[in-house]
């Protein structure tokens, strides 16, 4: 478990300067993650059947909405063109390739994409990697897809969620599906500097334009040499459930399913405990605070 080295505070920040700081931070994190036991890239490359725990859970939620494929979980994405937004070092993207997809991974961090390319080569998997901030992905990628995917640790790094949703809609072919799973906005309101309780400490509602949350974080959520993280400044934006859903609706997508869940792939709060591959809150908090929000949406067919 890593904690911010100072409290989260609200500040004035331009989107450009915030994204530049986040890019530098994720460039530093990427090399730590690629060398970590948690990501285990050597094991991922050596085992052609390995699917990341994030994608296993995502596919369990998505499968009922791909009705004609639901009875083939090992080939759920077979033959589909998939765009994975905010793909980081590629383990989730390449997991979808192992489920039969033709994959394109998009990320803000060039160092993350260097590790993703190397991992794809080691796995013997075909993948396209595109460096782009997510709201600019439509022009950067230049093609459309059967499925767009974004999952775990994504939209807190996006300032304009309506631009995000428009990019997703533009990337989808008519009839295509979109899958989203991320930290629940309610969980994001909890104070992660409190070590012995679950306590409200952060804003739930979206921020006014030109404002952002910021903090210094010289660590990351996995093992490794955290001294490599020298660009420690982060900027984030809160997005309530209503904003996320409305942005997708305004972009012309149809909601298919919305879910709330009690597990998370990382230890977001000190009191969380491990449960298999995931982390959960101890009782009674597990029944009181959702950990993740999931959404399945579809672009209307012509």
């Amino acid at each position: 478990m890593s904690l911010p080295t100072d409290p989260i505070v609200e500040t004035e920040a331009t989107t450009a300067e915030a994204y530049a700081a986040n890019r530098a931070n994720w460039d530093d994190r990427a090399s730590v993650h690629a060398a970590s036991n948690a990501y285990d890239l050597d094991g991922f490359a050596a085992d052609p059947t390995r699917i990341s725990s994030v994608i296993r859970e995502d596919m369990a939620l998505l499968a009922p909405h791909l009705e004609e494929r639901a009875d083939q979980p090992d080939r759920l994405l077979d033959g589909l063109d998939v765009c994975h937004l905010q793909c980081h070092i590629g383990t989730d993207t390449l997991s979808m390739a192992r489920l039969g997809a033709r994959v394109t991974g998009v990320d803000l961090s060039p160092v993350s994409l260097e590790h993703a390319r190397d991992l794809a080569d080691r796995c013997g998997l075909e993948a396209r990697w595109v460096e782009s901030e997510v709201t600019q992905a439509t022009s950067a990628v230049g093609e459309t897809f059967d499925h767009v995917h974004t999952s775990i640790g994504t939209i807190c790094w996006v300032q304009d969620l309506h631009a995000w949703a428009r990019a997703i809609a533009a990337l989808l072919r008519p009839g295509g599906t979109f899958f989203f799973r991320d930290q629940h906005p309610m969980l994001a309101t909890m104070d992660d500097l409190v070590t012995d309780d679950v306590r409200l400490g952060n804003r739930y509602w979206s921020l006014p334009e030109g404002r952002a949350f910021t903090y210094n974080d010289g660590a990351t959520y996995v093992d490794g040499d955290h001294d490599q993280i020298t660009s420690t400044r982060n900027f984030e934006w809160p997005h309530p459930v209503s904003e996320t859903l409305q942005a997708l609706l305004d972009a012309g997508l149809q909601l298919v399913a919305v879910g709330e869940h009690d597990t998370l792939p990382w230890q977001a709060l000190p009191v969380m405990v491990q449960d298999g591959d995931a982390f959960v809150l101890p009782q009674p908090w597990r029944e009181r605070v959702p950990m993740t929000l999931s959404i399945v949406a579809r672009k209307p067919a012509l």
Side-chain angles (χ1 to χ4, degrees):
M1 172 69 185
S2 65
L3 297 174
T5 54
D6 61 10
I8 295 173
V9 296
E10 186 179 324
T11 187
E12 291 186 4
T14 68
T15 305
E17 69 183 358
Y19 283 172
N22 290 346
R23 181 186 297 109
N25 178 256
W26 281 98
D27 279 347
D28 285 354
R29 288 201 212 190
S31 294
V32 177
H33 293 180
S36 71
N37 293 320
Y39 276 94
D40 185 22
L41 297 192
D42 288 341
F44 187 91
D47 181 0
T49 67
R50 183 179 293 190
I51 305 298
S52 72
S53 60
V54 167
I55 292 301
R56 282 202 309 271
E57 189 162 348
D58 289 352
M59 292 301 111
L61 295 170
L62 177 62
H65 309 291
L66 297 177
E67 295 89 349
E68 69 281 6
R69 300 164 177 267
D71 60 348
Q72 303 176 53
D74 292 339
R75 304 300 293 176
L76 188 65
L77 303 176
D78 200 25
L80 296 183
D81 293 320
V82 172
C83 183
H84 183 203
L85 300 175
Q86 294 170 273
C87 66
H88 193 37
I89 60 174
T91 51
D92 295 340
T93 317
L94 295 173
S95 292
M96 288 189 281
R98 285 176 170 169
L99 295 174
R102 293 181 293 270
V103 295
T104 296
V106 180
D107 202 88
L108 177 72
S109 161
V111 177
S112 293
L113 295 178
E114 288 175 12
H115 290 294
R117 288 187 186 93
D118 178 68
L119 181 61
D121 289 343
R122 292 166 61 191
C123 293
L125 292 169
E126 293 289 331
R128 181 188 177 202
W129 307 102
V130 178
E131 181 185 335
S132 175
E133 188 275 313
V134 65
T135 66
Q136 303 300 314
T138 306
S139 58
V141 174
E143 59 181 296
T144 57
F145 299 85
D146 303 303
H147 179 73
V148 173
H149 202 95
T150 188
S151 181
I152 301 302
T154 58
I155 62 170
C156 67
W157 308 106
V158 179
Q159 185 273 325
D160 185 345
L161 219 55
H162 285 268
W164 168 82
R166 289 193 297 270
I168 290 161
L171 287 165
L172 279 172
R173 295 167 185 161
T177 56
F178 169 62
F179 180 86
F180 166 89
R181 182 167 67 98
D182 209 343
Q183 174 178 253
H184 197 287
M186 187 62 191
L187 174 61
T189 68
M190 301 302 159
D191 189 339
D192 63 3
L193 296 180
V194 175
T195 61
D196 59 353
D197 198 3
V198 177
R199 189 181 306 164
L200 283 169
N202 300 316
R203 178 188 180 109
Y204 178 80
W205 306 111
S206 54
L207 289 164
E209 189 172 350
R211 306 288 291 178
F213 285 151
T214 188
Y215 57 94
N216 266 315
D217 192 352
T220 188
Y221 51 84
V222 299
D223 58 286
D225 179 11
H226 293 185
D227 288 341
Q228 294 182 54
I229 303 173
T230 59
S231 298
T232 58
R233 178 60 59 185
N234 289 260
F235 292 86
E236 296 185 14
W237 295 268
H239 300 293
V241 172
S242 57
E243 182 187 9
T244 305
L245 297 178
Q246 194 63 51
L248 294 170
L249 289 169
D250 288 349
L253 299 184
Q254 298 172 337
L255 297 179
V256 174
V258 178
E260 296 171 292
H261 316 281
D262 64 356
T263 66
L264 195 69
W266 79 94
Q267 190 181 15
L269 300 175
V271 296
M272 293 177 74
V273 296
Q274 194 153 7
D275 182 6
D277 290 332
F279 288 88
V280 300
L281 285 172
Q283 297 293 10
W285 294 106
R286 187 168 183 177
E287 297 174 350
R288 297 178 180 177
V289 181
M291 295 289 98
T292 50
L293 171 71
S294 66
I295 300 168
V296 180
R298 184 166 287 119
K299 185 169 184 175
L302 291 174

